[in-house]
Amino acid sequence: MNKKNNKDDQLTEWKKKFEAETKTSRADNFIINTDEDIGIKPLYIEEDIKDLNFVDVGSLPGHDPYTRGPKASMYVNRPWTIRQYAGFSTAEESNNFYRKNLEAGQKGLSVAFDLPTHRGYDSDDEIVMGDVGKAGVAIDSVEDMKILFDGIPLDQMSVSMTMNGAVLPILASFIVAGEEQGVAVKDLSGTIQNDILKEFMVRNTYIYPPDPSMRIVADIIEYTSREMPKFNSISISGYHMQEAGADNVLELAYTLADGIEYVRAALSKGLDIDDFAPRLSFFFAIGTDFFMEIAKLRAARTLWYKIMKDFGAKNEKSLTLRTHCQTSGVSLTEKDPYNNIVRTSYEALSAVLGGTQSLHTNSFDEAIALPTEFSARIARNTQLILQNETGVSNTVDPLAGSYFIEKITDEVASKAWEIIQEVEELGGMTKAVNAGIPKLKIEESATKKQAKIDSGDRVVVGVNKFQNPKEPKIDVLVIDNEKVREDQIKKINLLKGSRDNKKLEKSLNELTEDAKNGNNLLYSAVKAIKNRATIGEVSKALENVFGRHYATSVGVSGVYGKYFEGNEEFMHVTKKIQDFEKLYGRRPRVLVVKMGQDGHDRGAKIVATSFADIGFDIDMGPLFQSPKDVAKDAVENDVHAIGVSTLAAGHKTLVPELMSSLKELDPENKIIVFVGGIIPEQDYDFLYEKNISAIFGPGSNIIESAEKVIDLISDKNNQ
């Protein structure tokens, strides 16, 4: 019997055994569909990897199309960089945290800035009083930046900065801090995220409209190409897309489409592709779908090679996609949070098997609050254990040749390429973003994911199955927002009292003129920062020309409700809402809001969309509202309830201010307020004392939450 016939016989025998064991009649139809609409078969064989569209199974690491890795030796020569993302409170506090982590084995710094800094506001601005130092470190001037890196030699340490909105003054402050530390600009190494397109899609920490924002991106690529040969001018980020609900194909497609747009922006400056492309880097999220995440990273390198080849790149470094990865934040659960250590561990392993160049592992308590020193140590040691105890660094791309891995790598690449071509037909990513198409597709994906969890189709251990009857108590990090803000204001006042205001005014005027006439803005931003301009003053000088961007909120509809057609619990809540409408002549009306500078609106959008499908009359408030604005909108629109989404630890300042404003405008106390998001359980009593009616933590079931809200509204109206 020849070899082929033997394999055919084995396959026939396997099908018989499979069908007997699973009690199904057709093994060929036993398919599990992923979020990406890729059908996963129970068995993959050699035939599956013949005639692939993008993947060359015989390719080697360090050779095109780089599916198996950008380097021939990968981790055998040097393991991935442990680059933990951190920053909170003041520059002094963050500097202390960084030093401890570096002493404990961390190899690179990754800076998290607070929301006012992201949005180009100084800490003394009244509009940001509830956000200072909460979700990152407050940086108001180069003096803060110098403190942040005190004792950390910037000619030896690679620094990654997640910054997009206020990217000009922050990068300028880093450059000046380096110079005043004695480090020439050419010797600074690291990465600035500088990825504004994804801000308009999902994260929302933008300042200026899309077109001038893209100009700033190009200016930074141009400046770094000329002045900073060791520095990566952009980190093209899919991470926040997945956090906002994108599946792996959407994340990959839109990230690479963003990359194409940035390449074109740089080429418009007259740069040669090989002058800047070697320093383009990427940033992906790594979620819980273990093999799909591995396939995504392998597909990303494969497609980027094709894209750069089409642009005419010749330098090998231009053709290779290099990426930083971070384990998923949205996969972390408030319920039974020690499970998050396990989730993060296998997400980290997935990133490593996919071939990442650097990695951040999330702390297990980040669904509750900012990480403590205890939880951050576990997160960091997760990577140290992977590097030193598991043997994953002993061979390059150990999963290569797997029928399953190679096939789904090709399927992910093929589906992503289709979406990239759709974007190209629209005229590129800037036009697609302006049309709101990526945002809507990501919101639709997020809503589908939530529906699967709420229906039980997707198991989340400790949340909708295998619940812990006795939830553990977790110590959380508490930031004294008022104290941080007071300290920052003192430093701002000291700075303003000691600088040369004539020099400052001249440099800010030059910056504004450069914004008008098209000169590279980073050169003039550096001058202004040297003259001790604040982050807010530089941002304002540009805002005078570009204006400030305000997005229009548009949501999907029908996606959540469609998933629950015929579901008894869903119909039970819908019936309660219909009964309310019959009794009072209108549907219960809910205003769903974000307050302060937190632009992460996945939770708010999911609540708004699903509540609308259940039957509520929903108003979606604009981003970046003050508590007073929310209270005014609620009273003017005669809502029954306000739903506040909070992810950036502002609940202890912004929510009390909302309740105080409501008391003035709604003395009869007709409007109930409920809060959802990342809120430590130890803060629940504080919020209830402020007359909050309900609190819903991460992972709360939407239908159960909706029933609680309609019951509260009904009780209030019956009083």
Side-chain angles (χ1 to χ4, degrees):
M1 184 182 290
N2 65 39
K3 194 172 182 181
K4 183 181 184 306
N5 289 339
N6 187 38
K7 283 185 178 179
D8 289 343
D9 290 344
Q10 285 182 17
L11 185 59
T12 300
E13 186 63 25
W14 171 82
K15 286 180 179 179
K16 288 179 182 178
K17 288 184 177 181
F18 182 88
E19 288 165 0
E21 290 168 9
T22 58
K23 296 181 173 59
T24 56
S25 58
R26 287 293 304 276
D28 292 336
N29 294 338
F30 201 92
I31 303 292
I32 296 172
N33 275 315
T34 68
D35 289 337
E36 297 78 15
D37 198 28
I38 291 174
I40 302 299
K41 302 191 299 180
L43 180 70
Y44 286 78
I45 60 176
E46 189 175 359
E47 293 297 316
D48 288 305
I49 60 170
K50 290 182 178 177
D51 302 319
L52 299 179
N53 294 314
F54 290 95
V55 172
D56 176 4
V57 176
S59 68
L60 294 172
H63 291 270
D64 62 75
Y66 303 102
T67 310
R68 298 191 63 186
K71 298 279 189 181
S73 56
M74 290 299 288
Y75 311 140
V76 174
N77 178 49
R78 188 178 72 180
W80 65 93
T81 300
I82 300 172
R83 190 186 293 279
Q84 292 298 94
Y85 174 62
F88 54 88
S89 185
T90 62
E92 291 87 348
E93 291 276 351
S94 292
N95 175 261
N96 182 52
F97 186 80
Y98 292 157
R99 287 196 191 197
K100 287 180 180 177
N101 277 6
L102 292 171
E103 288 168 6
Q106 185 173 314
K107 298 300 183 184
L109 290 180
S110 188
V111 183
F113 298 96
D114 74 351
L115 291 168
T117 305
H118 275 289
R119 296 266 295 142
Y121 293 111
D122 289 332
S123 297
D124 59 356
D125 196 312
E126 289 296 316
I127 201 170
V128 299
M129 61 184 300
D131 293 307
V132 176
K134 280 289 191 181
V137 60
I139 299 293
D140 290 308
S141 73
V142 67
E143 295 299 333
D144 288 330
M145 192 70 82
K146 287 166 70 178
I147 294 167
L148 188 66
F149 297 115
D150 182 44
I152 299 171
L154 292 178
D155 56 344
Q156 300 172 36
M157 184 58 59
S158 171
V159 176
S160 174
M161 292 176 284
T162 300
M163 176 54 62
N164 304 283
V167 64
L168 279 170
I170 285 297
L171 182 53
S173 296
F174 176 70
I175 290 167
V176 176
E179 287 182 345
E180 296 187 7
Q181 197 186 84
V183 181
V185 64
K186 67 180 178 61
D187 294 325
L188 293 170
S189 65
T191 304
I192 188 84
Q193 192 164 95
N194 193 28
D195 176 9
I196 201 63
L197 285 173
K198 69 101 170 46
E199 299 296 329
F200 294 110
M201 280 189 268
V202 290
R203 193 162 173 257
N204 299 310
T205 56
Y206 43 71
I207 301 176
Y208 317 110
D211 287 337
S213 296
M214 283 296 292
R215 174 189 160 187
I216 290 169
V217 171
D219 282 357
I220 289 172
I221 294 173
E222 180 184 41
Y223 180 101
T224 52
S225 295
R226 291 175 177 171
E227 312 289 349
M228 305 175 76
K230 297 180 180 179
F231 200 82
N232 297 320
S233 56
I234 191 167
S235 173
I236 305 156
S237 173
Y239 182 86
H240 303 96
M241 297 180 202
Q242 187 178 124
E243 291 291 278
D247 61 51
N248 282 290
V249 165
L250 282 176
E251 179 194 2
L252 175 57
Y254 288 148
T255 303
L256 297 186
D258 281 352
I260 292 170
E261 197 80 340
Y262 295 134
V263 167
R264 289 187 179 130
L267 292 173
S268 74
K269 289 285 185 178
L271 297 171
D272 183 89
I273 186 98
D274 288 320
D275 288 342
F276 65 87
R279 288 186 303 282
L280 300 178
S281 65
F282 288 80
F283 175 28
F284 289 104
I286 303 295
T288 55
D289 194 336
F290 187 80
F291 294 109
M292 196 62 69
E293 294 290 357
I294 295 167
K296 178 182 72 184
L297 295 185
R298 299 174 91 249
R301 290 190 293 270
T302 308
L303 290 180
W304 190 244
Y305 167 76
K306 173 177 171 51
I307 289 165
M308 296 308 289
K309 200 76 175 170
D310 289 346
F311 271 115
K314 297 178 177 62
N315 187 334
E316 184 178 7
K317 291 183 178 179
S318 300
L319 298 166
T320 52
L321 179 145
R322 295 163 302 281
T323 188
H324 171 71
C325 290
Q326 180 174 339
T327 59
S328 171
V330 78
S331 72
L332 303 177
T333 64
E334 178 198 36
K335 301 288 186 185
D336 214 359
Y338 288 117
N339 289 338
N340 295 331
I341 297 172
V342 182
R343 292 186 179 99
T344 295
S345 296
Y346 71 69
E347 287 170 353
L349 178 58
S350 184
V352 169
L353 292 175
T356 190
Q357 278 60 70
S358 63
L359 180 63
H360 167 97
T361 34
N362 287 329
S363 299
F364 72 85
D365 51 0
E366 289 186 57
I368 304 166
L370 290 168
T372 62
E373 199 169 314
F374 170 75
S375 65
R377 179 178 175 79
I378 293 172
R380 183 185 61 251
N381 286 357
T382 298
Q383 295 197 54
L384 291 172
I385 290 166
L386 273 176
Q387 286 187 348
N388 293 283
E389 298 184 21
T390 64
V392 293
S393 299
N394 293 345
T395 191
V396 181
D397 193 18
L399 297 184
S402 156
Y403 303 139
F404 175 50
I405 288 294
E406 300 292 8
K407 178 64 174 177
I408 63 170
T409 296
D410 193 72
E411 289 186 292
V412 168
S414 297
K415 282 183 169 289
W417 188 250
E418 287 177 15
I419 295 171
I420 291 168
Q421 294 311 298
E422 289 171 7
V423 171
E424 288 293 281
E425 287 169 11
L426 290 167
M429 204 58 177
T430 303
K431 289 184 178 178
V433 166
N434 277 325
I437 294 168
K439 195 177 187 74
L440 281 175
K441 284 189 178 292
I442 290 170
E443 287 172 15
E444 182 179 350
S445 174
T447 306
K448 284 179 180 176
K449 287 183 179 183
Q450 186 64 45
K452 288 179 182 179
I453 293 169
D454 288 349
S455 67
D457 279 4
R458 172 169 295 160
V459 173
V460 181
V461 174
V463 175
N464 63 358
K465 201 170 184 181
F466 313 113
Q467 291 94 338
N468 189 343
K470 190 175 181 181
E471 286 288 329
K473 295 289 183 184
I474 304 293
D475 291 330
V476 299
L477 178 65
V478 177
I479 302 295
D480 186 342
N481 164 254
E482 292 182 6
K483 175 69 167 58
V484 174
R485 187 165 185 262
E486 285 173 11
D487 290 344
Q488 289 301 115
I489 290 172
K490 286 177 185 175
K491 288 193 281 187
I492 291 170
N493 291 337
L494 186 65
L495 177 86
K496 289 182 176 179
S498 61
R499 65 192 182 181
D500 186 328
N501 286 317
K502 284 187 178 178
K503 282 186 177 179
L504 171 71
E505 187 176 349
K506 185 182 179 208
S507 59
L508 288 173
N509 287 337
E510 285 177 6
L511 180 60
T512 298
E513 285 304 307
D514 284 346
K516 290 176 183 175
N517 61 31
N519 289 341
N520 188 298
L521 293 168
L522 187 49
Y523 288 97
S524 44
V526 168
K527 287 181 187 175
I529 291 295
K530 280 183 179 178
N531 289 324
R532 275 16 191 199
T534 66
I535 303 301
E537 287 168 337
V538 170
S539 298
K540 183 66 177 174
L542 296 170
E543 189 182 331
N544 290 338
V545 180
F546 299 148
R548 189 171 273 271
H549 180 70
Y550 295 94
T552 302
S553 180
V554 180
V556 298
S557 62
V559 174
Y560 189 89
K562 185 178 180 181
Y563 209 87
F564 286 90
E565 288 176 358
N567 180 281
E568 289 185 11
E569 292 179 22
F570 185 91
M571 292 191 297
H572 173 68
V573 180
T574 300
K575 176 71 164 50
K576 284 190 174 186
I577 292 171
Q578 291 169 346
D579 290 344
F580 181 95
E581 184 179 8
K582 288 177 184 175
L583 187 59
Y584 295 103
R586 66 181 182 124
R587 289 183 293 164
R589 190 168 192 176
V590 178
L591 173 63
V592 179
V593 299
K594 301 282 297 181
M595 293 190 294
Q597 300 306 305
D598 177 17
H600 294 79
D601 60 353
R602 171 184 175 147
K605 288 286 183 70
I606 287 175
V607 169
T609 298
S610 55
F611 271 42
D613 286 358
I614 292 169
F616 287 94
D617 187 1
I618 295 294
D619 291 344
M620 184 76 194
L623 289 172
F624 315 123
Q625 280 189 298
S626 71
K628 288 181 180 178
D629 291 337
V630 171
K632 184 171 178 285
D633 284 356
V635 172
E636 287 180 353
N637 290 298
D638 195 21
V639 304
H640 296 97
I642 302 172
V644 178
S645 172
T646 175
L647 294 177
H651 56 275
K652 292 188 76 172
T653 50
L654 296 169
V655 172
E657 190 180 337
L658 169 63
M659 301 310 292
S660 177
S661 298
L662 264 183
K663 194 171 183 180
E664 291 178 18
L665 298 173
D666 179 33
E668 295 179 19
N669 191 28
K670 294 184 297 183
I671 300 172
I672 69 160
V673 178
F674 61 95
V675 183
I678 297 178
I679 304 168
E681 194 173 340
Q682 67 193 42
D683 291 347
Y684 281 22
D685 287 342
F686 169 83
L687 292 175
Y688 285 133
E689 286 169 8
K690 301 296 180 184
N691 292 320
I692 295 301
S693 297
I695 301 169
F696 304 109
S700 295
N701 182 284
I702 291 288
I703 297 174
E704 292 173 6
S705 302
E707 182 168 21
K708 176 76 171 175
V709 170
I710 183 57
D711 288 346
L712 287 166
I713 292 173
S714 297
D715 290 345
K716 177 68 73 172
N717 276 263
N718 287 332
Q719 289 176 2

